[in-house]
Amino acid sequence: MNILKRKGFIPGAMAMLLLAACSGNGGSSNAGSTDAAKATPGGATQPAASTAASVKPANVEITVWDKPKPDEPRKAHIEEIWAGFSAKYPHITVKHETPPTGTSDRQVFMTAMAGGTGPDAYQYAHFPIIQDWIKAGYALDLTKYWNDFADKGKYIPSSLEQATKDGKVYGLPYKMYTVGLIYNKKLYQGAGLDPSKPPANWDEFADYGKKLTDPAKKQYGFALLGMEWADWHFEYYVWQAGGDLTTKNADGTIKLEFTSEPVVKALQYWRDLKWKHKVVQSNVVQNIDDNNKDFFQGRAAMMLGASDSFGGFAKNGVDLNDVGFAPLPVGPSGKAPSQVGGEYWILNPKSSKEKQDAAWLYITYLTSKEVQDSDIKYLYDNGIMPNLLSVRSDVNPLQGAKNVPADLISGVQKAAQSVHLEYALKERLSPYIVKAIQKVLLSENADIAAELKAAQETAQREIVDPYNAEIKK
């Protein structure tokens, strides 16, 4: 949801995003410089040339929650990258840890930060929530580091939008993705559908879903995301209907749109997919991993997915030549923007200055062109599809893509032509709208308008009113 927009994609950002997906410009991977001192990559300073040889940097240890799982396909390469950093900066010891267990990575991080036990650097500050974390004091103001950062011009403007507040930078862009419709070409052919012609609109999508559903084969048309992240995909349908779940006013306050006509239309369409057309899985609130598994094993013919998800396909034995990726079908509005999202590296404001300097060196090393290029090469060399979008304009994700189907690349690029950020205040409002969505999916006779009204009234009272009051202070 992983996964790259909040409202207002800045003019020209789309062109830059496509540039990142389609071309490499070359460029320096140096990370920073200062006026009065010799710089190390990342903006931290060393003594001037006359004393550099006699002064040894003080040893420092930082804690980072970035230890890969044992079955992570890139584990060996990640460890090689770590070794490269250690060789370059021997005075910095990075303690790689697995985050504590909890209901979600976001909740675990917030709990740790509130309790003063957060890591020195954290890589999962998602686009939709970083502004909340900035406000909560969980993200260090990186403006001074950023201003001294030699590579600051190498990051596409849209990747910085959500990490910027009042002209200050709080996050270093790390990953960026776009979402589209993923489908099984073989199942299309078996149902008499042309794999080169994915469904263009809601009506066609429902029709395709019915043709792809065959209970005798335990095969269904579309893996619907109805679990606790349901709003992650549901919001796309609201956009397709011409609306959004919230409106962010000029003064920063939030207006709820749960009861608006586009939201009602989108939820009605979802209910129809479940109860009228019967093209989704029987357990609409099953885990997203089970949805993915259904697709990998040929039970689900279509699902929504991101441009950074194809590594999992190869891992699960899926031939990418059998996979299609297309822009989302348009809804009543005649539009179908793709969600764009991603992650930032952030630093802990409570860490010491020495740890912050070291952590900045670490995160700029990991996001450098040199490391990003090596990661893409490793993935291709090992038959794993990389994310086809990059936060850096000088990194070409398609370089070396000899075995990547041309139509898959084309589909990602088409999906990236119209993009939208997730709705404002999503992190806090998600449980309220998801509750309404699930009631409608689980009960054929649920009153859509009533469920949305109840969700909006509760969210208004418990979240939006206090939030807006705080904003106005």
Side-chain angles (χ1 to χ4, degrees):
M1 106 184 157
N2 346 194
I3 350 223
L4 320 135
K5 159 183 171 191
R6 204 68 94 196
K7 285 193 180 77
F9 215 73
I10 60 177
M14 195 61 254
M16 290 298 294
L17 191 150
L18 291 175
L19 174 63
C22 304
S23 65
N25 299 332
S28 170
S29 60
N30 292 334
S33 61
T34 60
D35 293 335
K38 197 178 202 178
T40 62
T45 62
Q46 292 180 337
S50 60
T51 59
S54 61
V55 177
K56 182 180 179 180
N59 292 334
V60 59
E61 179 181 274
I62 59 174
T63 298
V64 185
W65 288 358
D66 64 350
K67 187 175 181 179
K69 295 179 180 179
D71 61 348
E72 164 61 50
R74 295 172 53 250
K75 184 175 183 294
H77 183 58
I78 290 171
E79 291 173 348
E80 288 180 2
I81 293 172
W82 291 350
F85 177 80
S86 296
K88 191 177 184 73
Y89 303 105
H91 67 290
I92 300 175
T93 298
V94 182
K95 187 178 180 183
H96 303 283
E97 293 185 350
T98 301
T101 58
T103 55
S104 72
D105 64 319
R106 301 177 186 186
Q107 190 59 51
V108 165
F109 174 75
M110 290 188 292
T111 299
M113 291 299 292
T117 59
D120 297 303
Y122 187 67
Q123 64 177 320
Y124 299 116
H126 301 281
F127 278 31
I129 60 173
I130 189 171
Q131 289 288 324
D132 283 350
W133 288 2
I134 293 170
K135 183 177 177 61
Y138 296 159
L140 178 69
D141 179 0
L142 303 176
T143 306
K144 186 179 185 305
Y145 291 114
W146 182 256
N147 288 342
D148 291 338
F149 187 25
D151 274 12
K152 63 183 178 182
K154 301 298 183 181
Y155 290 79
I156 63 176
S158 57
S159 72
L160 287 161
E161 185 178 348
Q162 291 307 304
T164 303
K165 182 177 177 60
D166 300 327
K168 297 179 180 179
V169 177
Y170 291 84
L172 181 68
Y174 176 50
K175 291 182 179 179
M176 199 170 182
Y177 66 87
T178 190
V179 172
L181 176 68
I182 297 178
Y183 57 94
N184 185 314
K185 293 180 181 178
K186 284 188 174 181
L187 294 185
Y188 265 44
Q189 291 172 332
L193 299 170
D194 185 347
S196 68
K197 297 180 179 179
N201 54 49
W202 281 9
D203 289 340
E204 280 193 5
F205 183 77
D207 182 57
Y208 276 39
K210 286 185 282 189
K211 290 178 179 178
L212 290 161
T213 298
D214 187 344
K217 296 180 180 179
K218 296 183 179 180
Q219 176 184 311
Y220 63 93
F222 177 55
L224 186 75
L225 185 64
M227 44 88 80
E228 65 265 29
W229 301 339
D231 59 325
W232 176 25
H233 288 180
F234 177 70
E235 63 182 333
Y236 310 161
Y237 293 79
V238 177
W239 302 342
Q240 292 159 20
D244 208 341
L245 288 164
T246 57
T247 294
K248 189 171 186 179
N249 299 315
D251 62 358
T253 57
I254 298 298
K255 178 186 176 185
L256 286 176
E257 304 286 1
F258 290 2
T259 59
S260 65
E261 183 179 358
V263 179
V264 174
K265 284 183 178 180
L267 192 48
Q268 178 64 58
Y269 184 68
W270 265 33
R271 177 161 75 180
D272 287 348
L273 291 176
K274 164 63 177 174
W275 295 106
K276 179 181 178 181
H277 305 304
K278 303 182 187 303
V279 299
V280 303
Q281 72 273 22
S282 57
N283 179 15
V284 289
V285 294
Q286 74 180 11
N287 188 283
I288 190 172
D289 291 335
D290 289 327
N291 279 11
N292 290 335
K293 189 181 298 183
D294 282 352
F295 184 87
F296 296 152
Q297 297 179 0
R299 291 191 293 271
M302 299 183 288
M303 69 177 189
L304 303 188
S307 61
D308 62 352
S309 65
F310 294 109
F313 286 58
K315 180 182 176 183
N316 284 275
V318 178
D319 186 343
L320 291 178
N321 289 294
D322 297 332
V323 178
F325 190 98
L328 303 174
V330 303
S333 70
K335 298 179 181 179
S338 170
Q339 181 226 331
V340 64
E343 300 159 2
Y344 295 103
W345 275 103
I346 57 176
L347 303 188
N348 192 333
K350 296 181 180 179
S351 298
S352 68
K353 180 63 165 56
E354 291 74 19
K355 288 178 179 290
Q356 290 169 354
D357 288 346
W360 175 254
L361 284 173
Y362 181 67
I363 67 176
T364 52
Y365 180 84
L366 293 186
T367 59
S368 66
K369 173 175 170 55
E370 176 186 7
V371 170
Q372 293 297 302
D373 282 345
S374 73
D375 200 43
I376 290 170
K377 183 178 186 303
Y378 175 87
L379 293 173
Y380 280 129
D381 287 348
N382 288 273
I384 302 173
M385 172 76 82
N387 182 2
L388 297 181
L389 294 177
S390 174
V391 297
R392 295 186 60 116
S393 61
D394 58 348
V395 170
N396 180 10
L398 304 182
Q399 186 174 1
K402 298 178 182 178
N403 299 319
V404 181
D407 61 335
L408 195 62
I409 296 172
S410 174
V412 169
Q413 293 172 345
K414 287 178 181 177
Q417 291 176 6
S418 175
V419 294
H420 201 300
L421 277 174
E422 293 188 274
Y423 68 95
L425 214 60
K426 179 183 182 202
E427 180 72 4
R428 302 188 195 184
L429 293 172
S430 179
Y432 298 88
I433 188 64
V434 166
K435 183 178 180 181
I437 294 169
Q438 290 180 334
K439 284 189 175 182
V440 171
L441 291 176
L442 293 170
S443 175
E444 185 175 6
N445 298 317
D447 186 325
I448 290 178
E451 295 297 342
L452 290 173
K453 181 180 178 183
Q456 175 152 315
E457 289 176 348
T458 306
Q460 184 72 42
R461 181 177 63 254
E462 297 181 359
I463 301 297
V464 176
D465 285 343
Y467 179 86
N468 286 347
E470 181 66 22
I471 287 292
K472 291 177 180 179
K473 285 183 180 180

